[in-house]
Amino acid sequence: MGVRNTRDEGRGTKYEVRKTKDEGREELKDEGGGVVRKERIIHSAVWAAMVALYWPVLYQCYKSRWDSIDYTHAFFILPISLYLVWNRREQLTSFLRSTKYEIRSTTAVINALRTSYYLLPLVLGLLLFVFGYRLDYLFIAVGSLLIVSAGLTGYLYGTQVLKSLWFPIAYLAFLVPPPVGVLDNITV
């Protein structure tokens, strides 16, 4: 097992590249000793769980609203929002590198306080989702997507990334179907 040290000059973080015994592949370890690949796997699993959670609601929303002329714009909202996030990937990568270094340089208590206030909107959004899904209110269930997305982004990646992604998250508001009664009263 060979170990070589590398330094990312852009942010001054030192990494160790280790050859593993089992498959001969290299692992990238940061200064704290954690494997960077594990963090990506955990974040991917969290986002996959969110997609799995909202899949039935979005499917029902798209399926039931296909016949309605008032909601045909919604088919473009999610892909455009995802494109806006993808379009900012270089900026997000630089934010993630800088915040990862800042978070590791502080104490665990300050780090926990810094990210714990994002748990409140995350839990509130999940409660709204459960309420809307169980009572079949698409307006509330899909509307909770905004709150959960903002809370999860802030909790996992920090304030800087959340500020960068405010528009793609806010753009998802056009995905929320208006309540039928309200829409009927407005259009007469």
Side-chain angles (χ1 to χ4, degrees):
M1 268 191 340
V3 175
R4 69 174 191 253
N5 292 328
T6 60
R7 182 171 287 280
D8 184 359
E9 297 300 328
R11 60 185 169 143
T13 304
K14 185 177 174 183
Y15 290 101
E16 288 182 3
V17 178
R18 294 182 180 248
K19 284 255 192 201
T20 58
K21 287 182 183 179
D22 54 341
E23 297 174 12
R25 67 174 185 259
E26 293 183 346
E27 286 184 338
L28 187 64
K29 292 194 172 215
D30 60 6
E31 289 177 331
V35 178
V36 175
R37 186 179 59 215
K38 286 183 183 177
E39 185 175 299
R40 286 185 182 166
I41 290 171
I42 290 170
H43 287 191
S44 298
V46 168
W47 286 109
M50 184 176 159
V51 168
L53 182 69
Y54 279 96
W55 182 259
V57 172
L58 292 176
Y59 178 75
Q60 178 186 5
C61 192
Y62 281 133
K63 185 179 173 186
S64 67
R65 301 299 177 151
W66 181 257
D67 297 329
S68 173
I69 196 166
D70 298 324
Y71 196 67
T72 55
H73 70 281
F75 295 99
F76 302 108
I77 301 298
L78 190 59
I80 289 173
S81 181
L82 292 174
Y83 171 74
L84 291 172
V85 172
W86 178 257
N87 199 22
R88 296 178 180 170
R89 65 188 180 277
E90 287 91 17
Q91 181 184 15
L92 295 174
T93 304
S94 67
F95 283 155
L96 290 175
R97 286 183 178 163
S98 66
T99 56
K100 193 180 296 184
Y101 180 71
E102 290 171 8
I103 287 173
R104 290 214 170 91
S105 64
T106 60
T107 63
V109 173
I110 294 172
N111 183 23
L113 290 175
R114 186 181 298 168
T115 59
S116 65
Y117 58 86
Y118 289 114
L119 282 176
L120 181 65
L122 181 61
V123 170
L124 177 68
L126 289 173
L127 289 174
L128 281 173
F129 172 79
V130 169
F131 175 75
Y133 184 71
R134 295 293 294 164
L135 297 178
D136 204 25
Y137 289 133
L138 284 178
F139 176 73
I140 296 173
V142 177
S144 71
L145 177 67
L146 298 165
I147 302 168
V148 171
S149 297
L152 194 58
T153 302
Y155 183 73
L156 290 178
Y157 306 113
T159 305
Q160 216 174 18
V161 174
L162 183 60
K163 285 180 183 178
S164 175
L165 293 178
W166 77 268
F167 182 74
I169 292 173
Y171 188 71
L172 289 174
F174 293 113
L175 188 65
V176 178
V180 177
V182 172
L183 195 60
D184 288 342
N185 287 335
I186 291 174
T187 57
V188 178

